[in-house]
Amino acid sequence: MSQNLFEDFIDFLSNKHGEELWVTVYKRDPINNTAHDGTMYCALVKKEKSERTMERPSWDLMVGSGGPGFSMSYEDGEEITTYYTNPDDDFLRPVLVRDFHGRKEDYIEILEEFRLFHNLYHDNESGSFISFDEVGDEVEVIKIEHNEVKIRRRYLRSFMAARQMNLLLYFELTRHYHESVGFSNDIKDAALTYTIYSGDSYSDGYTSFSRILGKKLIRCETVEKCGVWPFEQEKEYQSFIIGGDTDEPEIFSCNPDELANYFGANPDSPHYLTPVFFRKEVMQKYYSSSDYKITDGYLDRTGVWRLRFDNNSPNHVSVFLGDLGQDLPSKEQVYWKSFNLIPDERKISRTNFERSFLGNFYDAENPEHRFKQKFRDIQEYWNKKYGWYLFLPLSIKDEHFYESIRSMLTNEQSEFDAQVLALTKATIDSINVKSLRDHLEVIDKSIKSISLMEILLERLESQNLSALSSLLRGVQSVRSTGVAHRKGTEYEKTISKLKINDGDYSSEFDQLLLGMLFLFDEIMKLDLGRNTN
């Protein structure tokens, strides 16, 4: 047999290897008496040494070596011992294969400099190394299995550009045959160098082998292409609707450098503080993930970005045009753009106007923010005065119920059910029964949660006991008859008793939040008044 047995592999090396989304930088197919075995490896090489190393197909370093140590030499007849950190000098190994010579199992490490350069997080469970993109989404950068390592090309090329070193992709593949083969070939090129030779097989049951051994060179880009500070890619800015109508919407870029301001910049452009309006549903993905924190006037993605916005209007959210460009990553701007509304006489909230333009402290208008602030107030007041919380703090696995309480984004039954459940979990289900019973000196252990709260209100001489009792029992009943179980006649009775208009769930849930807010305020006001008289 005299034909080239590696045409398919050479085609892969020439046209694909190193150009894939995931670059194989280490792979070992061990000798298991099968029809093939081989190894792939890599190293970064100094640019000035690249041409010389491509003159020969042999590898420039060995898998498993590369640790620091000592070297010995002679100078003027005198023995000199020198400590070195990198025995390969002109080369840098992105992948280090730790070999313990059978005493312990081998394992793979990634060059520390590479990990720190990209600030990679090591996921111990999967073994992968993870980065985070501009919006904070996880990006898998390195996949590691026992016998294979792949690096995402963009991150590998970025490191090459920063280091100004080229990449050598080493390869060795041996194929075994039952018949005799005697093919040989040598190719030397600036980008691909290899040798092919044949011999007697060492794999049981086979007669001969043919082996290809060599390396491929991929040159680094200029340092400006590394994409890391101060060479980040220029930010892309979306354009948003700021005026006009459906037929002729007026749009403008959110690039802050192109907007007018109070210092005379770009006088013919829209002002930085031009409000841009969005459907409330834009917030759905942020409420659905613990990665985000939504407060009165701010949306945060922990450790990545923070957006100042107006979430105090009942029918929309709004952001100043310049803040969209200044605070939102490019990828996130694309998401927000899909919810963009024509202004059509929409206005920013009074809260936002007072804070942003008049510089005043101004309470939130949104029932969601008002409820959460008052809930924090009563918890702090009660704990400071009595040494225990009126509502037990939720467990870590239940904290999402409190965080998800909000003014509804849609008018759907499913969202109403979810919000009633969250509200009940954080309040009625969390009433501190044991401590409240002791505080009220109630011996009967059959009296629980809502009944204890009614006794508290009665002791405080609340004039709104009946209404607040109806609120608590009504919310609990909505949860019990319609959320925790199949809806039926009892649910309809409860909805009717609470006068909930099922055509406007959004407004009705806001009223439940305000009702709870009134309950907290009533308890604190009466308790404080009782102790000052």
Side-chain angles (χ1 to χ4, degrees), residues 274-290:
T274 301
V276 183
F277 300 94
F278 302 89
R279 299 200 311 273
K280 289 178 66 176
E281 290 91 328
V282 71
M283 301 302 298
Q284 186 68 56
K285 88 167 189 176
Y286 305 119
Y287 278 110
S288 300
S289 172
S290 59

Side-chain angles (χ1 to χ4, degrees), residues 69-73 80-84:
F70 292 94
S71 66
M72 296 183 67
S73 61
I80 298 175
T81 303
T82 306
Y83 179 82
Y84 57 82

Side-chain angles (χ1 to χ4, degrees), residues 66-106:
F70 292 94
S71 66
M72 296 183 67
S73 61
Y74 287 87
E75 185 174 325
D76 298 330
E78 183 179 348
E79 185 178 83
I80 298 175
T81 303
T82 306
Y83 179 82
Y84 57 82
T85 56
N86 180 12
D88 304 314
D89 195 24
D90 296 326
F91 301 89
L92 193 63
R93 302 164 182 257
V95 178
L96 294 91
V97 181
R98 303 295 308 280
D99 182 0
F100 302 97
H101 313 292
R103 298 293 295 169
K104 292 289 184 180
E105 187 175 357
D106 300 351

Side-chain angles (χ1 to χ4, degrees), residues 424-439:
T424 309
K425 281 275 189 182
T427 56
I428 296 172
D429 289 357
S430 296
I431 292 173
N432 193 337
V433 172
K434 182 179 183 305
S435 296
L436 187 55
R437 185 183 286 119
D438 293 341
H439 176 71

